[in-house]
Structure formats: structure tokens, C-alpha cells
């Protein structure tokens, strides 16, 4: 099997007072060795739940069915010892809030060294040399290893998180909104850094963001998620430039394009919000917000089907022809 990550018919629901609420509903994804897959969608569409499921980081209130395969091994069937060995060493994660992810009372160098000492049983001196090299790779001087998280800027803390993710040379990195709290200039630097490092080390990347433009620039393939399901998937540039699902079209249209005065003066938005997972509408979950929905859209939930002759595009929409006509 050449895929570093395969997600097969994944369902995740959370226990609430009124019963179980679905967050991820039948998702299938594949990420090959060295590939870069972007996962886009608004807040509440299930992206972070899917990311947490990859490394089995979900709370006890979550129920998971389906399979999450890391190099062919099902994460859901791993014992705790095996799971602990897999985290950081084979797959690691970069969270969106570094200040909340780093231990505020430990120096950042110690936190980067911890997975090295745990997984590789090396000496502290060798771990410290590795920490210095990792900090250099992410653009920080070795002396910053002695700093506490509050002594670093937001961009520096995020670089520390990336160094931690690389510490044990994993096969997969999951980046969950890695630049949300950063300003635009620092965002660009961090995204460029992640791209360069995963390419240099041959690491597979699952990057999650609400920003379709960012994912289109930094990923090979792009999956658009809505109401817990994949609405569209395909080559990143094609999905961004010519979405085959009205939700993907709306996300792409929300970003003004450089050199296009019309999009800058009147960017297209998307009214309303994603549906409450506890009260999903009948049929297509996007139908209440869709400008081209018809009665048939509200009768049955559409399946993810081929959306292009090359077999590289998939979309869950029965109105694809009408969407092309509306371009």
C-alpha cells in the first residue's frame, strides 16, 4: 500500500444531553507518500474532528466507526502502547494555537527534546544537538531553546510547534489551521516553511484550513468538507479555479483575486451558516444556502460521484451541469 494515510467510511459522533450528534459522516480520503492534501471548509464542518481522529485524540464523548489507516495499520485497533509509539514517531500534529499547545512552565527546548528522548532512547546531549538543529531548520537560533513560550512571539511559537512535529522524522504531519492566530506576513512565512520542510524530508502533509486560496497554493489535492461530508475533491488548482460543487465555488469566490478589480470591489460571499449537526436538513445539507438548489436536492443526500472525464475530480452534487452554466 503506497498511501501513508487512508480514511475509509469514517463516522464520528459526539454524545450530548439530547443524544448523539454527527460531526463526520462517511468520509473517505487517501494521502500518498510525499503527498500534500488540503481539507477546506467553514468552522463546524468537521475538519478538526477528522484531524483528531487520525491520531485518536478525540474525547471520550466521541464514537468512531470506519477505519483510519496509517501505512496500512488501523489507528482505532491499536493498543495504548502501540498508539503512544506511533504518535510523533510516525505521525505528528501542528495545532492552531501554539500558546495553548505548549506547556507554559517548561522551556521550549525541553518540550522539543521530549519526544526524541521518549521514542529514540538517546542521550540528553544528543537530544540537545537535535533540538538545536531543528530550531535552525525552522529559522530560530539555538539559544531560543532556553526560552519559555510566553517569551516568544506568535510566529516563533508556531515555529517551535513545527520543530516538535519534525523531531522524530514522522511519515505524516497533520497541520490543523497552523496560521490562524498569526498576521498575514507571518502566515506566509510559516506556510512557506512547512512546504519547504515537508518537501525536503519527503513527509506527507494533511493541511486543514478555512482558506481555500492558501490550500490551493500549498497542496497537491484539495477536499472541501461541508456538514461532516466531503462535498468535492480533486487537484487543488482545479478545485479552486473551477469548483464543481456550489459550496466550493462559494468558498473560492469569497477571496478577492489580485489583478481582478471586480472580485476586489465585490467579493462574493455566502449568506448563512453551516447547519447544526443535530438538525441536519433533509437531502443535501447545503441546499438551504445553495443558489441553484431544486426540489430534488432536498429529497436525497447526493453521493460523491465523478465530476470530470479524467477521473481526478469528485463532487457530491446533482446540479453540476447547472453550476457550469452559471460560471
Amino acid at each position: 500500500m503506497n498511501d501513508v494515510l487512508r480514511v475509509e467510511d469514517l463516522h464520528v459522533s459526539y454524545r450530548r444531553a439530547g443524544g448523539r450528534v454527527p460531526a463526520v459522516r462517511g468520509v473517505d480520503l487517501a494521502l500518498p507518500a510525499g503527498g500534500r492534501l488540503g481539507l477546506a471548509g467553514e468552522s463546524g464542518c468537521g475538519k478538526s474532528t477528522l484531524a483528531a481522529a487520525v491520531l485518536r485524540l478525540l474525547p471520550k464523548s466521541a464514537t468512531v466507526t470506519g477505519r483510519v489507516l496509517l501505512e496500512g495499520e488501523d489507528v482505532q485497533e491499536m493498543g495504548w502502547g502501540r498508539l503512544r509509539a506511533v504518535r510523533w514517531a510516525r505521525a505528528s500534529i501542528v495545532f492552531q494555537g501554539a500558546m495553548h499547545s505548549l506547556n507554559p512552565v517548561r522551556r521550549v527546548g525541553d518540550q522539543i527534546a521530549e519526544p526524541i528522548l521518549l521514542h529514540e532512547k538517546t542521550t540528553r546531549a544528543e537530544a540537545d544537538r537535535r533540538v538545536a538543529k531543528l530550531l535552525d531548520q525552522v529559522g530560530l537560533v539555538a539559544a531560543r531553546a532556553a526560552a519559555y513560550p510566553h517569551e516568544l512571539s506568535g510566529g516563533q511559537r508556531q515555529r517551535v510547534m513545527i520543530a516538535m512535529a519534525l523531531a522524530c522524522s514522522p511519515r505524516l504531519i497533520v497541520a490543523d489551521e497552523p496560521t490562524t492566530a498569526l498576521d498575514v506576513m507571518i502566515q506566509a512565512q510559516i506556510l512557506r516553511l512547512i512546504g519547504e520542510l515537508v518537501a525536503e524530508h519527503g513527509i506527507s502533509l494533511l493541511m486543514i484550513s478555512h482558506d481555500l486560496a492558501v490550500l490551493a497554493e500549498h497542496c497537491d489535492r484539495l477536499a472541501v468538507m461541508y456538514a461532516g461530508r466531503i462535498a468535492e475533491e480533486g487537484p487543488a488548482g482545479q478545485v479552486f479555479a473551477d469548483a464543481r460543487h456550489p459550496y466550493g465555488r462559494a468558498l473560492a469566490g469569497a477571496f478577492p483575486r489580485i489583478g481582478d478589480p471586480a472580485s476586489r470591489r465585490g467579493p462574493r460571499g455566502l449568506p448563512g451558516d453551516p447547519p447544526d449537526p443535530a438538525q441536519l436538513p433533509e437531502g443535501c445539507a447545503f441546499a438551504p444556502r445553495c443558489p441553484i438548489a431544486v426540489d430534488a436536492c432536498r429529497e436525497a443526500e447526493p453521493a460523491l460521484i465523478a465530476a470530470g472525464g479524467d477521473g481526478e475530480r469528485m463532487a457530491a452534487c446533482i446540479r453540476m451541469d447547472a453550476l457550469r452554466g452559471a460560471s
Side-chain angles (χ1 to χ4, degrees):
M1 181 179 293
N2 294 324
D3 292 328
V4 169
L5 173 68
R6 284 191 71 86
V7 177
E8 298 179 351
D9 194 28
L10 182 67
H11 292 257
V12 181
S13 63
Y14 293 104
R15 183 178 63 252
R16 289 187 184 174
R20 304 212 67 85
V21 176
V24 175
R25 304 183 297 128
V27 167
D28 295 283
L29 289 173
L31 179 57
R36 298 171 298 170
L37 174 64
L39 189 62
E42 296 167 281
S43 296
C45 286
K47 307 185 304 299
S48 291
T49 291
L50 192 154
V54 170
L55 287 171
R56 221 165 91 189
L57 296 171
L58 293 166
K60 292 182 178 180
S61 61
T63 296
V64 182
T65 63
R67 301 205 300 170
V68 177
L69 304 175
L70 281 175
E71 297 184 300
E73 190 175 2
D74 193 343
V75 173
Q76 299 304 314
E77 295 181 355
M78 292 178 182
W80 281 112
R82 179 59 181 155
L83 183 63
R84 189 182 186 195
V86 164
R87 291 172 177 166
W88 296 112
R90 284 175 59 189
S92 59
I93 188 165
V94 179
F95 294 104
Q96 58 181 294
M99 194 61 187
H100 303 295
S101 303
L102 295 169
N103 189 327
V105 297
R106 295 187 65 201
R107 299 180 191 276
V108 296
D110 293 335
Q111 297 185 61
I112 299 171
E114 183 175 8
I116 299 173
L117 293 167
L118 177 65
H119 289 282
E120 301 187 16
K121 309 299 183 185
T122 188
T123 65
R124 181 63 204 226
E126 176 59 27
D128 287 342
R129 284 193 289 271
R130 292 266 297 278
V131 168
K133 183 177 180 180
L134 285 162
L135 289 173
D136 180 66
Q137 286 182 320
V138 300
L140 294 175
V141 296
R144 302 310 283 164
Y148 289 95
H150 71 272
E151 296 176 312
L152 302 176
S153 69
Q156 290 174 327
R157 287 193 293 266
Q158 206 64 21
R159 289 170 187 267
V160 169
M161 288 293 297
I162 296 169
M164 289 178 66
L166 292 168
C168 295
S169 302
R171 298 273 289 150
L172 168 70
I173 289 180
V174 179
D176 185 8
E177 300 272 12
T179 61
T180 297
L182 306 177
D183 64 64
V184 174
M185 293 299 293
I186 301 300
Q187 281 185 31
Q189 293 174 13
I190 295 298
L191 290 169
R192 190 183 313 112
L193 174 65
I194 292 174
E196 291 172 352
L197 290 172
V198 297
E200 178 183 345
H201 296 277
I203 298 170
S204 299
L205 174 68
L206 175 61
M207 182 180 288
I208 296 168
S209 178
H210 63 278
D211 192 329
L212 208 67
V214 162
L215 295 178
E217 181 179 355
H218 295 278
C219 296
D220 308 315
R221 291 185 64 81
L222 180 57
V224 178
M225 200 166 179
Y226 188 79
R229 299 184 73 226
I230 300 299
E232 180 171 4
E233 183 183 355
Q238 294 180 28
V239 172
F240 182 63
D242 182 26
R244 301 294 169 83
H245 191 286
Y247 181 58
R249 181 71 59 90
L251 285 181
F255 298 93
R257 300 170 191 263
I258 296 174
D260 182 0
S263 71
R264 186 176 69 249
R265 293 168 185 161
R268 292 170 290 171
L270 180 62
D273 297 299
D276 183 343
Q279 298 178 330
L280 292 173
E282 292 292 325
C284 176
F286 186 63
R289 305 171 75 191
C290 182
I292 60 171
V294 295
D295 289 343
C297 299
R298 300 176 179 88
E299 294 172 358
E301 195 160 45
L304 196 63
I305 60 174
D310 56 7
E312 289 290 304
R313 305 287 303 274
M314 302 287 287
C317 181
I318 64 172
R319 297 279 286 155
M320 278 186 271
D321 290 340
L323 184 66
R324 292 193 188 101
S327 299

